[in-house]
Amino acid sequence: RRALAWTLVGAAGVAAVILSVPLTRERLFGTGAFAQQTVGDRAVMWGDAWRLILTDPVMGVGPNGFMDAITPFFRDGWYDRAQVGAILDSPHNVVLQAAATGGLLGVCLAAVIVVGGIAAGVLRIRNAEGARAGTLLGALLALVAAGVALQSTPTSPVTLVPLALMYGVLVAAPVASAPRHGAAGLARAAGLALIVAWAVFVTVCAHADVGVLQGRSHAMQGDFVGAERAFRDAAALRPRDPATAL
C-alpha cells in the first residue's frame, strides 16, 4: 500500500509538471496549431525516410549521413509544411533511423541490443532483492517508456546518454569476484585498456564540438579568419564525421 501511495504521488507530480509547461501541454493534448501540424508532419517525414531507406536497404547511409542523403527525397508535402532551408537530421522514428543509418544490419543489431537488454534486465530483476530490484525495475520501465517515445521523436545526446546509463545499470554483472591472475586476469586487463582507449577517443571526438562552438562565436563577432581556423581544427579532430564538416 505504501509503494502504491508513493507511485500515485509521483505520477501526480509528473502530471503537474507536464501540465504547467504550456508548450508541452499543447503537444500532449494537440490544442495548439503547431502541435496539430506535427502529427501530419510525422507521416510526411516517415514516408520520405522510407523512400531513402529503399535505396540501400542492406547497409544504409551510414552514421550522420541522413541529413545529406534525405534532401533529394523531399517531396512537395515537405516543402508545403516546412521552410525551403529546413533540413532534417533524423526521421523522428528510432526504427527508421536505425534502418536509414545501418540498413537491415543496423535494425538487426538494434534488435539484438534491445531484446538482449530486456532479457538480461528481467533475469537480474528476478534474482535481485530490496533496493537493487527497485533500481533495476525503474531502469527497465524507463527504457521501455523511452523506446515508445522515440517512435515519434528525434534522438539526441540529451536523451540517449541517460538511457545508455540506465541500460548499463540493467545489464551490468557483478565484478567483485573477477579473477586477477592467469588468462582471465589478462583478459580483464585487456578489457580495461580498451575502455581507456575508447574513453580517450571519445573525448577527442567530443572536443571537436568545442571547436564548432568557438567557430560559431568568432563568426557572430565578425572574426571569419578565427572562425575558419576553429572549424578546420574541429574537422581535423573528427575527420570521418560528415556532420562536423557540414
Side-chain angles (χ1 to χ4, degrees):
R1 287 194 295 270
R2 179 164 43 186
L4 177 60
W6 279 112
T7 301
L8 294 176
V9 170
V14 171
V17 172
I18 291 175
L19 295 176
S20 67
V21 181
L23 182 59
T24 304
R25 184 173 63 249
E26 291 178 359
R27 294 291 293 270
L28 179 63
F29 295 105
T31 56
F34 178 71
Q36 295 173 1
Q37 179 183 346
T38 56
V39 177
D41 288 347
R42 295 302 187 270
V44 174
M45 291 187 290
W46 295 343
D48 293 344
W50 182 247
R51 294 170 63 225
L52 168 63
I53 293 169
L54 292 179
T55 61
D56 192 349
V58 178
M59 297 296 293
V61 298
N64 281 336
F66 184 85
M67 181 181 288
D68 292 323
I70 190 60
T71 50
F73 296 91
F74 284 152
R75 293 174 291 184
D76 291 342
W78 168 253
Y79 294 109
D80 289 340
R81 293 172 172 273
Q83 299 176 357
V84 176
I87 300 176
L88 288 174
D89 61 353
S90 163
H92 289 53
N93 178 284
V94 70
V95 177
L96 291 177
Q97 185 167 344
T101 301
L104 181 61
L105 298 178
V107 173
C108 291
L109 177 60
V112 169
I113 293 174
V114 171
V115 175
I118 292 176
V122 171
L123 180 62
R124 284 180 168 78
I125 290 172
R126 293 179 61 182
N127 295 330
E129 297 179 356
R132 174 66 177 170
T135 300
L136 293 172
L137 181 59
L140 178 61
L141 294 176
L143 288 169
V144 172
V148 174
L150 288 174
Q151 301 306 309
S152 61
T153 58
T155 57
S156 72
V158 175
T159 54
L160 291 186
V161 169
L163 294 179
L165 178 62
M166 283 185 280
Y167 187 92
V169 169
L170 199 61
V171 302
V175 295
S177 60
R180 299 178 179 272
H181 304 287
L186 290 176
R188 182 172 183 269
L192 290 175
L194 287 174
I195 292 174
V196 171
W198 175 252
V200 172
F201 173 73
V202 171
T203 301
V204 172
C205 290
H207 191 66
D209 294 324
V210 177
V212 172
L213 292 176
Q214 290 176 343
R216 179 176 178 271
S217 177
H218 285 301
M220 294 180 66
Q221 297 172 9
D223 180 12
F224 300 109
V225 175
E228 181 70 14
R229 185 184 307 113
F231 288 145
R232 290 187 181 277
D233 291 343
L237 289 172
R238 208 154 64 198
R240 297 187 180 275
D241 186 354
T244 307
L246 181 65

